[in-house]
Amino acid sequence: MEAGAGPGAGPGAGPWIACVVTGASRGFGRSLARLLAPRLGSGSLLVLVARSAAALAELAAELRGSGPGLRVECVAADLGCQEGLRRVVGALQELLPTVPPGRLLLVNNAGSLGDISKSFLDLTDPDEINSYFAFNVTSALCLTSAALQAFGTRPGSSRTVVNISSLCAVKPFKNWALYCSGKAARDMMFQVLALEEPDVRVLSYAPGPLDTDMQLLARTKTGDPEMRQFFQSLQQSQQLIDCTVSAQKLVNLLEENTFPSGAHVDFYEI
Ligand SMILES: NC(=O)c1ccc[n+]([C@@H]2O[C@H](COP(=O)([O-])OP(=O)(O)OC[C@H]3O[C@@H](n4cnc5c(N)ncnc54)[C@H](OP(=O)(O)O)[C@@H]3O)[C@@H](O)[C@H]2O)c1
């Protein structure tokens, strides 16, 4: 069944009053936070989440200058462990109910590749596999449900959730069993959210091959030589996308707000 654009869709959805970006300390998340901050009005809240406290604090200091009255809060926590996840959930439960009515945007961006030197047959340790999924799947689910509940439904408000996805959600890559299956699970999870909560706008955005630390790992650590060569050639032929270019496309999609809720949209499709 095709999901329709649904309630809350269209440009009339109002300004963002609260934005939460995970993985905001570097890479795509940091570029996205930089584009979102100037779009947030006075009295609005931007929450930055990642493990590196210093990098978050530096970004927060930069972004506080973006607009008068913008509140920028950092939560330095490891989303891969229960204590860290609880801390982020606790912060959102405290912060989100305090913002005035408006539009909530939650961007589930933080992610990892796992040990891509290993092939499927090397993945024998359940602790390693569980810890991969705890960060890449469980934390995105728990954070999203907690944020949606904490913000709640109120007159004049709307909620949008973004899942930073990948081509790997729909296409298998050798040595990337954890990453591909984690991204596929997240896409499906967010499709279910779109069905269950028609008033929540849900988007899975595949940002394209980005020039980040994650790409560096892909081209140096992938076990399969052909795959490694493929990632090296992306860099050599200058096909890697600047994070700001891809983040701007996502912001445009969110501002147009006409995507079918639950859709997977790829950088190259728009
Ligand atoms: N790069 C690509 O080519 C590409 C392509 C398609 C999709 N994507 C997706 O785009 C998103 C961003 O990727 P990227 O390339 O910007 O990755 P990146 O450069 O590796 O950055 C990952 C971000 O996630 C944070 N993070 C990592 N582990 C964490 C943990 N345990 N708890 C909390 N935060 C954690 C990192 O901050 P700390 O280290 O400070 O915690 C960092 O801010 C990911 O979901 C990725 O799968 C990337």
Side-chain angles (χ1 to χ4, degrees):
M1 189 176 70
E2 272 296 307
W16 289 313
I17 197 71
C19 292
V20 181
V21 181
T22 68
S25 61
R26 55 194 161 94
F28 185 76
R30 183 173 60 181
S31 298
L32 182 63
R34 283 186 169 133
L35 290 179
L36 290 173
R39 290 170 165 80
L40 290 165
S42 179
S44 50
L45 169 73
L46 175 61
V47 184
L48 308 172
V49 181
R51 290 167 303 181
S52 318
L56 288 182
E58 197 180 314
L59 179 65
E62 173 193 325
L63 299 184
R64 283 188 187 107
S66 303
L70 169 64
R71 236 168 107 197
V72 185
E73 299 284 347
C74 301
V75 189
D78 182 350
L79 287 169
C81 72
Q82 287 200 17
E83 196 269 327
L85 177 58
R86 279 202 198 99
R87 210 136 41 79
V88 181
V89 165
L92 296 185
Q93 285 169 338
E94 200 183 303
L95 292 166
L96 292 180
T98 66
V99 296
R103 199 174 167 199
L104 168 71
L105 174 65
L106 167 64
V107 186
N108 288 288
N109 164 73
S112 66
L113 286 174
D115 187 347
I116 47 174
S117 70
K118 290 182 173 168
S119 68
F120 188 108
L121 299 187
D122 298 324
L123 292 170
T124 52
D125 176 3
D127 289 342
E128 178 187 353
I129 298 164
N130 286 336
S131 104
Y132 182 82
F133 287 111
F135 169 38
N136 288 281
V137 180
T138 309
S139 81
L141 173 52
C142 293
L143 211 66
T144 303
S145 53
L148 291 175
Q149 290 213 38
F151 190 77
T153 49
R154 342 174 199 167
S157 288
S158 65
R159 297 170 295 175
T160 298
V161 177
V162 176
N163 163 39
I164 299 301
S165 182
S166 166
L167 176 61
C168 295
V170 291
K171 184 173 155 44
F173 285 83
K174 280 183 190 169
N175 281 118
W176 287 32
L178 294 178
Y179 188 78
C180 291
S181 51
K183 289 297 190 192
R186 284 166 62 125
D187 268 35
M188 181 51 78
M189 206 164 82
F190 284 100
Q191 285 184 65
V192 172
L193 172 65
L195 277 185
E196 284 187 11
E197 301 292 335
D199 67 321
V200 177
R201 306 275 297 132
V202 183
L203 174 66
S204 285
Y205 175 67
L210 304 167
D211 194 3
T212 64
D213 296 346
M214 188 176 274
Q215 263 303 317
L216 176 65
L217 285 175
R219 67 177 171 267
T220 54
K221 302 281 186 239
T222 301
D224 182 74
E226 272 176 36
M227 275 283 289
R228 215 167 48 239
Q229 180 54 43
F230 166 72
F231 288 114
Q232 284 164 7
S233 71
L234 283 181
Q235 190 208 21
Q236 282 156 4
S237 57
Q238 298 177 348
Q239 288 181 69
L240 296 183
I241 300 160
D242 183 276
C243 285
T244 304
V245 171
S246 183
Q248 183 63 61
K249 272 205 183 181
L250 172 57
V251 170
N252 294 348
L253 268 174
L254 295 171
E255 285 184 342
E256 284 160 18
N257 199 28
T258 52
F259 55 85
S261 192
H264 172 108
V265 178
D266 192 281
F267 174 87
Y268 290 112
E269 283 169 16
I270 44 175

